[in-house]
């Protein structure tokens, strides 16, 4: 049934991207100085999860590399590589500068010095989930690194810039801001139709079933593709010739649980403590939450940092935050 499983994976970048022409054109124009061997200004891609930000950043860079022989690129997931050391190490990996670096003993300043001494061709780094960086000041160091261009990706523009100090904010204030709206139902249908055409045999899924998937995901293409993947895999395991409605229905629940679990596994230690406290209580007020967090964390972060954690948990539908100001509570979401 499945002819190309890669197409249904979340990290797959298609050769033909639909319904994001204006975003691609804007990002391409921002990166245009690279075609003349010069670094480009930073770009900031923002919008809800599942709107194609990471895909478009990678797709645009791939197209750029097809036309440019002399350019280096690297992708960094700042949710996984959130410390200054991990981020710099990942960036240095992209230009083969990690030789003799030891994770336990090499000072972070040495990594930064190696990067700032880089004198190769233009280097473009995608910093995905950039709001997850523990120390945002690394962005100032990267901004000042010659030949390096940053593509920053996050969910919420205002919240990200509120986390920066005035010096860094002034540097990034002129970055190209590219907003990604949620996909419409028809746009999701088109995305799913393409994945079906590339990934499975003809006639295994109906238009009405794709419509049901699009209805279930509130504009999130990542979840929609996950549902299609799970449905196709489940049908293949039962040796069915086609995907039936019950399989689609089961896949909706499975895909949401799968993505939720992936998001939970990506949480940093402190974020996981906050999430576990909310899950244990069911719902909890902010002041009680922070007190409980201080007791459990070995090196508690500031209240402002914990608020940033809570925002991220809300963005990824792990918790919800009904109410305002003193009336606000945090509540676990159980799918």
């Amino acid at each position: 049934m499945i002819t190309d499983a890669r197409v249904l994976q979340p990290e797959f970048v298609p050769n033909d991207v639909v319904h994001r022409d204006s975003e691609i054109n804007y990002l391409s124009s921002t990166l245009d100085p690279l075609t003349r061997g010069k670094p480009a200004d930073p770009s900031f891609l923002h919008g809800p999860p599942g709107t194609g930000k990471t895909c478009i950043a990678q797709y645009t860079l791939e197209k750029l590399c097809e036309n440019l022989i002399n350019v280096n690129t690297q992708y960094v997931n700042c949710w996984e590589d959130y410390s200054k050391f991990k981020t710099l190490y990942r960036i240095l990996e992209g230009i083969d500068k990690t030789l003799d670096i030891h994770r336990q003993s090499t000072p972070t300043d040495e990594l930064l010095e190696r990067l700032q001494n880089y004198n190769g061709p233009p280097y473009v780094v995608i910093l995905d989930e950039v709001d997850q960086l523990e120390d945002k000041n690394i962005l100032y160091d990267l901004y000042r690194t010659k030949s390096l261009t940053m593509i920053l990706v996050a969910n919420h523009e205002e919240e990200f810039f509120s986390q920066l100090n005035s010096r860094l904010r002034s540097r990034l204030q002129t970055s190209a801001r590219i907003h990604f709206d949620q996909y419409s139902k028809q746009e999701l249908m088109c995305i799913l139709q393409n994945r079906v055409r590339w990934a499975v045999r003809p006639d295994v899924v109906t238009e009405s079933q794709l419509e049901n998937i699009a209805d279930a995901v509130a504009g999130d293409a990542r979840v929609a593709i996950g549902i299609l993947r799970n449905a196709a895999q489940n049908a293949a395991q039962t040796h069915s010739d086609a995907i039936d409605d019950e399989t689609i229905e089961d896949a909706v629940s499975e895909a949401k649980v799968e993505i939720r679990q992936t998001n939970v596994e990506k949480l940093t230690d402190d974020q996981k403590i906050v999430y576990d406290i909310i899950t244990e209580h069911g719902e909890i007020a902010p002041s009680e939450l922070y007190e409980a967090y201080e007791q459990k964390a070995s090196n508690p972060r500031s209240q402002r940092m914990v608020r940033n954690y809570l925002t991220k948990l809300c963005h990824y539908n792990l918790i919800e935050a009904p109410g305002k100001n003193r009336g606000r509570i945090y509540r676990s979401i159980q799918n």
Side-chain angles (χ1 to χ4, degrees), residues 43 147 151 154 293:
S43 302
S147 299
I151 299 178
Y293 163 74

Side-chain angles (χ1 to χ4, degrees), residues 112-132:
L112 181 58
E113 184 178 354
R114 288 195 188 193
L115 181 60
Q116 292 181 332
N117 288 335
Y118 171 70
N119 61 357
Y123 187 23
V124 187
V125 176
I126 299 172
L127 294 167
D128 201 1
E129 306 281 3
V130 66
D131 52 334
Q132 288 294 100

Side-chain angles (χ1 to χ4, degrees), residues 70-274:
N70 217 18
V71 62
N72 290 320
T73 66
Q74 178 67 318
Y75 171 83
V76 182
N77 186 331
C78 299
W79 201 331
E80 297 173 357
D81 298 310
Y82 54 86
S83 71
K84 187 172 184 178
F85 185 97
K86 288 181 178 179
T87 302
L88 288 171
Y89 187 90
R90 189 68 65 203
I91 293 172
L92 287 171
E93 272 190 332
I95 48 175
D96 298 322
K97 297 290 185 180
T98 54
L99 184 66
D100 299 330
I101 290 178
H102 303 285
R103 293 179 181 270
Q104 302 302 323
S105 59
T106 304
T108 302
D109 286 347
E110 184 175 324
L111 274 69
L112 181 58
E113 184 178 354
R114 288 195 188 193
L115 181 60
Q116 292 181 332
N117 288 335
Y118 171 70
N119 61 357
Y123 187 23
V124 187
V125 176
I126 299 172
L127 294 167
D128 201 1
E129 306 281 3
V130 66
D131 52 334
Q132 288 294 100
L133 288 174
E134 255 183 356
D135 182 1
K136 304 293 191 301
N137 289 323
I138 188 179
L139 297 176
Y140 184 77
D141 296 322
L142 298 178
Y143 180 86
R144 296 175 64 242
T145 300
K146 61 181 180 180
S147 299
L148 189 141
T149 295
M150 294 186 291
I151 299 178
L152 311 177
V153 182
N155 296 130
H156 200 283
E157 177 184 15
E158 185 176 340
E159 287 168 2
F160 170 69
F161 279 90
S162 71
Q163 299 170 26
L164 309 181
N165 61 39
S166 57
R167 182 183 67 170
L168 180 53
R169 194 181 304 120
S170 68
R171 296 297 188 279
L172 296 181
Q173 202 67 40
T174 57
S175 60
R177 314 285 183 88
I178 307 176
H179 178 68
F180 286 68
D181 289 317
Q182 285 187 321
Y183 288 109
S184 69
K185 178 179 172 180
Q186 292 305 315
E187 288 171 340
L188 278 178
M189 287 280 290
C190 185
I191 291 169
L192 289 171
Q193 287 164 350
N194 283 344
R195 297 297 170 112
V196 167
R197 187 169 67 252
W198 300 328
V200 300
R201 288 190 292 102
D203 303 323
V204 302
V205 60
T206 67
E207 289 294 302
S208 63
Q209 288 171 335
L210 295 183
E211 189 173 354
N212 289 339
I213 294 175
D215 278 333
V217 299
D220 191 325
R222 181 183 53 163
V223 178
I225 294 167
I227 292 170
L228 178 62
R229 179 179 64 251
N230 287 353
Q233 289 174 342
N234 292 343
Q237 286 173 1
T238 60
H239 305 289
S240 301
D241 293 328
I243 300 172
D244 59 31
D245 292 343
E246 185 177 350
T247 301
I248 293 286
E249 192 174 319
D250 292 341
V252 169
S253 299
E254 288 176 11
K256 290 182 177 180
V257 169
E258 182 181 288
I259 288 175
R260 177 186 181 84
Q261 186 59 38
T262 298
N263 288 336
V264 170
E265 289 172 356
K266 290 194 300 184
L267 297 179
T268 65
D269 291 341
D270 285 278
Q271 291 170 341
K272 187 68 163 58
I273 292 171
V274 171

